[in-house]
Amino acid sequence: MCGTLTDYEELLPSEIFFRIHKSYIINCMHVEKILRDDYSHVLMKNDFKLPVSRRRYAPLLEFLKNNQYYNE
């Protein structure tokens, strides 16, 4: 299946997946850590480090905490 990231975002369960950047949607069950220095990143359990856009950082933290995926 070919489509835009928005198409996939609509298909994936919204209680598990979160769009962190215009180019990335993550499975929140696999978040290891949130990194914040000059830029924000998500470190996944498989050691992938993905950027988080500035405007999606606060909503991501709220989503992770509200759904008990991550506690800082």
Side-chain angles (χ1 to χ4, degrees):
M1 179 175 150
C2 290
T4 66
L5 204 53
T6 301
D7 294 336
Y8 288 103
E9 185 178 17
E10 291 172 3
L11 290 173
L12 294 168
S14 62
E15 62 276 359
I16 299 173
F17 291 87
F18 191 88
R19 189 158 188 176
I20 60 168
H21 188 275
K22 67 179 181 179
S23 302
Y24 300 103
I25 297 173
I26 61 168
N27 180 333
C28 294
M29 296 173 69
H30 296 280
V31 171
E32 180 71 31
K33 192 181 226 183
I34 305 295
L35 307 170
R36 182 96 192 235
D37 42 36
D38 292 338
Y39 300 98
S40 302
H41 292 86
V42 173
L43 181 63
M44 303 300 289
K45 290 182 180 176
N46 61 2
D47 291 328
F48 279 102
K49 185 177 170 184
L50 302 170
V52 179
S53 72
R54 281 185 290 238
R55 74 180 184 92
R56 295 179 196 257
Y57 177 77
L60 172 64
L61 287 182
E62 184 177 334
F63 179 85
L64 292 173
K65 288 177 185 177
N66 288 344
N67 292 291
Q68 300 178 343
Y69 288 119
Y70 180 75
N71 291 314
E72 278 189 289

